[in-house]
Amino acid sequence: QKEVEQDPGPLSVPEGAIVSLNCTYSNSAFQYFMWYRQYSRKGPELLMYTYSSGNKEDGRFTAQVDKSSKYISLFIRDSQPSDSATYLCAMSTGGGNKLTFGTGTQLKVEL
Amino acid sequence: GAVVSQHPSRVICKSGTSVKIECRSLDFQATTMFWYRQFPKQSLMLMATSNEGSKATYEQGVEKDKFLINHASLTLSTLTVTSAHPEDSSFYICSARDRRGADTQYFGPGTRLTVL
């Protein structure tokens, strides 16, 4: 079993839809949770960063962390074609330790 | 803020040559930089962790003599692929962690290496 599980998709939604992306993990020591967006042939771009459980909102993006269920989510409201990319969840135990990534979910937002 | 650059963005070389890739944090100091490799449609694979002024820590299965890492300053780390072979062709991405704290990593744009 992988430490971090993420559905690879592809996920296809119409423009304007609410998108829900999720990851589950097994290591209860993870405390820092991140979502990255990666366009084809580009480096990942940090979207959201959350410490411990709770919600965080930034514009159209909302990140949720439920440590009791070992489950994190990223919601994208009013999705746009420009949101089409691969979304990677990542997490760490802190102290500058390495990130553990999910496999990434490929999202396509269609006109 | 938190911009990381990589150079070159793309390199094509002959088998047997060595290739150096630079990773720079442009607007922050990075005590730690990371080097990843990514194959098409796959996630990032951590190769090594590089701390300024000390030897890099390599992940299991990554040959340290093949992939030489130098982190000479708080803003620059280099990865040298020595005696490159076609199987080394990949997308190499670096990331940097801001020394001021938090556990986020900021990624460079990546370097596409093709070995003929």
Side-chain angles (χ1 to χ4, degrees):
Chain A
Q1 183 189 4
K2 293 180 181 177
E3 267 193 301
V4 179
E5 298 277 359
Q6 184 176 9
D7 187 338
L11 177 62
S12 185
V13 301
E15 184 179 10
I18 296 175
V19 176
S20 173
L21 304 167
N22 313 292
C23 287
T24 59
Y25 62 95
S26 57
N27 187 351
S28 58
F30 286 140
Q31 296 188 74
Y32 297 85
F33 304 91
M34 287 137 272
W35 285 95
Y36 288 88
R37 177 175 64 195
Q38 186 177 24
Y39 292 111
S40 181
R41 302 185 180 187
K42 300 289 184 184
E45 171 194 7
L46 179 65
L47 282 178
M48 301 289 283
Y49 165 79
T50 311
Y51 169 69
S52 195
S53 285
N55 294 357
K56 187 173 185 178
E57 188 173 319
D58 184 2
R60 296 186 295 113
F61 299 93
T62 300
Q64 287 186 351
V65 175
D66 182 350
K67 290 189 70 179
S68 63
S69 302
K70 297 190 180 69
Y71 188 87
I72 69 171
S73 301
L74 177 70
F75 297 96
I76 306 174
R77 290 182 297 281
D78 187 25
S79 56
Q80 304 294 312
S82 58
D83 294 328
S84 298
T86 296
Y87 290 80
L88 297 151
C89 65
M91 46 200 81
S92 80
T93 57
N97 290 328
K98 63 184 182 182
L99 295 180
T100 301
F101 285 88
T103 52
T105 299
Q106 185 180 352
L107 171 67
K108 185 173 183 180
V109 181
E110 297 178 320
L111 291 168
Chain B
V3 178
V4 177
S5 71
Q6 262 183 263
H7 178 79
S9 58
R10 191 181 188 103
V11 58
I12 301 172
C13 69
K14 292 182 179 179
S15 185
T17 59
S18 294
V19 175
K20 180 185 281 189
I21 303 169
E22 289 187 351
C23 177
R24 294 182 185 273
S25 56
L26 298 185
D27 52 0
F28 66 99
Q29 293 183 324
T31 49
T32 307
M33 289 185 170
F34 303 84
W35 286 95
Y36 294 84
R37 187 172 178 175
Q38 188 176 35
F39 291 104
K41 299 190 184 298
Q42 293 189 25
S43 191
L44 301 161
M45 184 191 82
L46 180 65
M47 298 174 65
T49 301
S50 167
N51 290 299
E52 186 262 340
S54 62
K55 290 184 178 180
T57 302
Y58 290 82
E59 294 299 299
Q60 191 173 10
V62 178
E63 299 176 56
K64 61 180 182 181
D65 295 328
K66 172 78 171 174
F67 300 99
L68 300 178
I69 292 172
N70 183 275
H71 193 161
S73 76
L74 287 172
T75 59
L76 173 65
S77 177
T78 60
L79 168 68
T80 301
V81 182
T82 62
S83 187
H85 291 283
E87 59 266 28
D88 298 323
S89 298
S90 190
F91 192 50
Y92 292 87
I93 312 175
C94 72
S95 71
R97 190 173 74 90
D98 192 327
R99 70 179 301 188
R100 290 169 293 183
D103 255 46
T104 52
Q105 292 180 24
Y106 299 96
F107 285 83
T111 297
R112 170 93 35 208
L113 171 64
T114 303
V115 185
L116 302 176

